[in-house]
Amino acid sequence: MEARGQSSIAAARYTLPATRLSSEDILFCIDVDPESLVEMKNTSASGRPFTRLESIKQAILLFINAKLAINPDHRFAYSALGKTPFWLKKEFSSEVESAIAAFRAITVDSSAGHADLTHLFKVANHEAKKSRSQNRLLRVILIYCRSSVVPQHQWPTNQKLFTFDVVYLHDKPGPDNCPQKVYDGLVDALEQVSEYEGYIFESGQGLTRVLFRHMCVLLSHPQQRCVQDDIDIPKSLTKKSPAPDSATPNPAAVADQECVPVSSQ
């Protein structure tokens, strides 16, 4: 009887076949509108504020180094967005120096204004086919900085060959801008083109650490993602409640309780 019971349990046990995650080809698209030169709240060692563009470069380098530490087979290419996208460095590479060289080629487009993502999606679609032929995945990460320009695009709903992520840095809402409409337009684009679950993060606080936090969440592989609404990282630090049976408070515990908790934003 015992042998039959063990056999029955073994037969009913669920097994998950081993699968190998595809290495990624990641195409960064950096907004070079004049709003990319808006100053962040963080300053350099000399006291000069960082611009959004400078912070974006730092965040991308952080992302690349972390991504390569996870899997050195990931590759990266770089483009910029004026009125339409253009290449900074077309060849996908696993070399960090390739990113630094691409950043040297960035110039702000003072006449950007209108933003059309159609060509970016066409390029991504073409590159995705090449990536698939090598058993790789293509992902596009757009970092957008315009607070009053809703990006336009024309794309068929049945073509989803790449994953699309967005980080949106914007000003506070005001009479001269409409960041909510811009955000909604970016969400529409993401939902229309992304093959796997695409993530979109926004910040109007001007804090470099918030940008870095968003980029760290984007390290997640598209084939392993939950839906964005289920993301519960990073965890907020909260005050510790004293034990109900403690008659005399511990000075160290009191000091901990008096610390200001870190904001989730």
Side-chain angles (χ1 to χ4, degrees):
M1 293 293 291
E2 183 177 354
R4 282 202 299 271
Q6 290 175 346
S7 175
S8 175
I9 293 173
R13 184 176 297 151
Y14 177 78
T15 59
L16 182 66
T19 57
R20 185 177 186 276
L21 297 178
S22 300
S23 295
E24 289 192 84
D25 289 335
I26 300 176
L27 170 59
F28 287 100
C29 186
I30 304 169
D31 192 359
V32 291
D33 181 84
E35 288 192 64
S36 66
L37 296 180
V38 170
E39 293 180 346
M40 305 285 280
K41 293 181 180 178
N42 304 81
T43 59
S44 64
S46 64
R48 181 182 64 83
F50 289 111
T51 65
R52 284 176 180 166
L53 184 56
E54 290 171 329
S55 299
I56 289 168
K57 293 177 182 179
Q58 294 176 0
I60 291 176
L61 288 175
L62 168 69
F63 178 96
I64 293 172
N65 279 284
K67 195 71 174 173
L68 291 176
I70 297 170
N71 179 1
D73 194 42
H74 293 312
R75 303 185 307 197
F76 311 91
Y78 310 91
S79 64
L81 178 65
K83 289 184 178 179
T84 58
F86 57 92
W87 285 107
L88 295 172
K89 198 165 186 60
K90 185 175 181 179
E91 298 78 14
F92 284 90
S93 170
S94 299
E95 300 296 328
V96 177
E97 291 75 14
S98 179
I100 297 172
F103 294 162
R104 294 195 190 103
I106 294 180
T107 56
V108 172
D109 185 354
S110 60
S111 62
H114 175 75
D116 191 342
L117 301 179
T118 304
H119 183 62
L120 174 64
F121 295 158
K122 288 181 179 179
V123 168
N125 195 63
H126 175 71
E127 295 295 333
K129 292 177 181 178
K130 294 195 294 185
S131 295
R132 287 190 172 203
S133 69
Q134 304 171 42
N135 295 318
R136 304 175 66 89
L137 289 181
L138 183 84
R139 176 161 40 134
V140 176
I141 300 179
L142 171 65
I143 307 178
Y144 195 74
C145 299
R146 307 179 203 189
S147 301
S148 58
V149 179
V150 180
Q152 305 298 316
H153 72 279
Q154 295 182 353
W155 196 251
T157 56
N158 61 346
Q159 285 193 35
K160 294 186 176 182
L161 298 182
F162 58 91
T163 302
F164 187 45
D165 292 331
V166 181
V167 176
Y168 179 34
L169 305 179
H170 58 84
D171 296 335
K172 297 291 185 181
D176 298 326
N177 58 45
C178 51
Q180 183 62 56
K181 288 184 179 179
V182 177
Y183 178 84
D184 292 342
L186 291 167
V187 170
D188 290 342
L190 183 151
E191 292 178 344
Q192 185 171 348
V193 305
S194 191
E195 177 186 14
Y196 292 97
E197 177 74 9
Y199 290 165
I200 178 168
F201 299 108
E202 58 79 29
S203 176
Q205 298 175 310
L207 296 174
T208 302
R209 65 179 174 83
V210 175
L211 171 60
F212 286 7
R213 180 190 305 163
H214 293 333
M215 293 299 289
C216 287
V217 177
L218 292 184
L219 289 170
S220 59
H221 194 288
Q223 292 177 314
Q224 288 185 307
R225 290 183 172 183
C226 63
V227 296
Q228 182 165 345
D229 289 343
D230 291 341
I231 296 176
D232 62 351
I233 53 174
K235 301 289 188 182
S236 299
L237 299 179
T238 57
K239 294 180 179 180
K240 296 180 180 179
S241 301
D245 57 346
S246 57
T248 305
N250 185 325
V254 173
D256 285 344
Q257 293 171 23
E258 291 176 351
C259 293
V260 177
V262 177
S263 169
S264 61
Q265 298 295 323

